[in-house]
Amino acid sequence: MPSPVPETDPSAAAAEGPSSSNPNPNPSPSASVDAMDAWHWDERSCCAAAADDDDVTQPQFAAEAARVPYVGDKEPLSALAAEYQSGSPILQEKIKLLGEQYAALRRTRGDGNCFYRSFMFSYLEHILETQDKAEVDRILVNIEQCKKTLQSLGYADFTFEDFFAIFIEQLESILQGNETSISEEELLQRSCDQMISDYVVMFFRFVTSGEIRRRAEFFEPFIAGLTHSTVDQFCKASVEPMGEESDHIHITALSDALGVPIRVVYLDRSSCDAANPTVNYHDFIPSSNPRGAISEQQDSIESSARQQTKPFITLLYRPGHYDILYPK
Amino acid sequence: MLDVSRVQKELAECNRDQAISGVGIALCDGGSDLSHLTGTISGPVATPYEGGTFRIDIRLPGGYPFEPPKMQFITKVWHPNISSQNGAICLDILKDQWSPALTLKTALLSVQALLSSPEPDDPQDAVVAQQYLRDHQTFIATARYWTETFAKRISVDIEEKVQKLVEMGFPEDLVRSTLKSVNGDENMALEKLCSS
């Protein structure tokens, strides 16, 4: 892997060391994604020799951009099987199982924003197909709450208002009957448009950060377990910057804040009982009253309500990356 | 395409409480290019930078606010995380930890905080960092000397400060006498002018 920092700079070389090891033990042919993430990490290897970094990494950015759009076309699930045909037998077996329930997948670019982009497209596509006006009205109320949350946390309006406006604009444009209503093709095109796509990603990052900070007491132990950092440090370092990857903390926060359930299907080496393999999934179901404190009693009522809510967004997780799955 | 309206809002917001925050932003050389700005930071108290006013060249790339602002000290400064040669700054939020949720003001405040809390283990200037770690007394003395020499050059740009304060709407003779009474410290002068 080419190092973006000149060898002659000792401080930069030292800083680059740990980040150049690939943290993904999965030797499967999803290597394209892994390699991308690896140089992405590499690119951030600090500090010294900043000007030189750009020259080396920018052609790579361009190459990656040409290869995978922000949001790709729908592909049959067999495309996934083809990707792993010389890979681990356990994963092949799991893909077979996936094929029983899911018909297609849609890839997103592995640039650290894939969870948000997958969520964006999947949610907007759902609204476009169902024309569920009630759902749009519902999420708009939540978005308004998110705005108030950020204001009460001390964020200046101008730092987030443009990002909110762009997402609301997309929502409105997919409802038919509006003068500006758009087609599925146009939705895909917009999701691949750098300006629109990045603005919506940043909108989600604001919403996620606001929710984590608002319920800092709830999220604090999870964050401490994952990164040994404070809630504030975590939001600043792992939520708000573009390109920072998401895990269950981010997904929980975004799902709760917007009130949108999300199913994540895990294609990894968990539950590797070779005789009887299963594909794990987890449903992130927003609590019905995420704004207030939840008593234990309420919680048990909710858990019965939870079982009835089936997520309409399904994401496929492979270590370090999210794509969109389509049920049969 | 630079988000012009956002930059304008940032400038207004930052300069509203410049006297309190100790950081300010203006168009570079009184020009009209919103992508080239000059920031000022007052040296934090109880540091070798106290009393100094440090100028920072700010260039906004077309991708701002998705890309970080490029910031570099114009005023020479002796600090482990700032190049003594060219003023380049080693600060995570100006690189991979930048977020559109941050602003020019928060970035300048972070640079100001960096002046208070050097991180010699992650240096920009290896020579300064070595001195910071091995001969702290000499480091303090050198940093203070550089502040005295480079960050307090009053007479050179006094006219510029006068002009800036006059542009804010204060009468010129009052600006001159106030600046004189605070030894040319622009921020203190502004504070005085605002409270009088």
Side-chain angles (χ1 to χ4, degrees), chain A residues 86-135:
Chain A
S86 56
S88 137
I90 295 163
L91 293 176
Q92 287 177 356
E93 194 57 39
K94 286 192 173 187
I95 291 167
K96 241 180 244 169
L97 289 170
L98 275 179
E100 290 169 10
Q101 287 180 66
Y102 297 95
L105 98 152
R106 192 189 288 275
R107 296 174 205 268
T108 59
R109 188 185 296 180
D111 63 356
N113 301 309
C114 53
F115 163 67
Y116 298 108
R117 277 195 235 277
S118 297
F119 179 84
M120 160 176 65
F121 188 85
S122 204
Y123 183 81
L124 293 176
E125 187 183 41
H126 171 80
I127 300 296
L128 183 67
E129 280 169 4
T130 59
Q131 292 296 310
D132 188 345
K133 177 93 174 38
E135 166 62 18

Side-chain angles (χ1 to χ4, degrees), chain A residues 21 31 44 79 98 107 128 131 162 164 254 301 306 327-328:
Chain A
S21 67
R44 61 185 56 189
L98 275 179
R107 296 174 205 268
L128 183 67
Q131 292 296 310
D162 294 348
F164 275 60
L254 186 67
I301 298 166
R306 277 166 195 230
K328 280 189 169 166

Side-chain angles (χ1 to χ4, degrees), chain A residues 44 46-47 53 158-159 161-163 198-199 202 206 237 240-242 244, chain B residues 3 6 9-10 13 66 70 90 95-101 103 122 124:
Chain A
R44 61 185 56 189
C46 189
C47 272
D53 279 16
F158 70 81
T159 58
E161 61 193 4
D162 294 348
F163 306 103
D198 282 354
Y199 267 67
M202 201 52 216
F206 269 112
E240 293 176 5
M242 290 292 283
E244 287 294 334
Chain B
D3 187 341
R6 161 147 175 169
K9 285 177 205 161
E10 287 207 34
E13 197 248 5
F66 281 93
K70 294 185 191 316
C90 180
K95 291 215 67 191
D96 57 284
Q97 291 289 286
W98 170 258
S99 160
T103 63
D122 190 13
Q124 175 73 36

